[in-house]
Amino acid sequence: MTPDIFTTKVVGVSFCESYPQSVFRMATKFAVGPLPLSLERDKNNLYDSNAIRVKFDGEMLGHLPALIARVVAKELDSGIDWRAEVDSILVSAEQPNQPGLKIRVWRQNETE
């Protein structure tokens, strides 16, 4: 069973077409408050049939890690709603132009 809420890194961020500009654009908006993200099944993914895209304003940012997607995909497919928002933007001193992304993911409660 998956926990109701957790944080994780987004994988494959650097493979997205608009990277790193997409993450830098988000950083300016993140400074003023939470940024909601969408989780979208990627059933035709050549590498992982459980893949789940992470998107911001319709733009793909990457995917949930495969081990997490394996569980969450089944729930999404069965109609359980999952939500996500930016937790942090990860920038290292060694590679400041290659930011990463950490997100908070949670199962939507029926009362929300």
Side-chain angles (χ1 to χ4, degrees):
M1 177 120 197
T2 308
D4 286 339
I5 187 167
F6 57 89
T7 58
T8 185
K9 285 185 179 181
V10 176
V11 298
V13 175
S14 63
F15 293 104
C16 293
E17 188 175 316
S18 61
Y19 178 83
Q21 292 78 14
S22 57
V23 178
F24 290 137
R25 277 193 302 274
M26 282 181 26
T28 60
K29 296 177 182 180
F30 182 58
V32 287
L35 290 180
L37 304 170
S38 60
L39 301 176
E40 178 183 283
R41 286 285 279 118
D42 187 2
K43 292 181 181 182
N44 296 322
N45 186 295
L46 297 174
Y47 305 101
D48 182 1
S49 62
N50 294 311
I52 299 172
R53 292 183 191 111
V54 177
K55 297 174 97 177
F56 176 69
D57 280 345
E59 184 173 26
M60 180 149 140
L61 300 172
H63 287 88
L64 288 183
L67 290 175
I68 293 171
R70 184 183 309 159
V71 176
V72 174
K74 291 175 187 172
E75 293 196 3
L76 284 173
D77 291 347
S78 71
I80 297 171
D81 191 21
W82 281 84
R83 303 288 172 103
E85 67 184 16
V86 175
D87 180 72
S88 56
I89 295 171
L90 310 169
V91 180
S92 73
E94 297 82 26
Q95 298 177 325
N97 293 321
Q98 295 181 333
L101 189 59
K102 189 173 181 182
I103 64 173
R104 185 173 18 266
V105 181
W106 68 94
R107 185 182 291 115
Q108 180 75 21
N109 293 330
E110 292 178 19
T111 58
E112 289 183 46

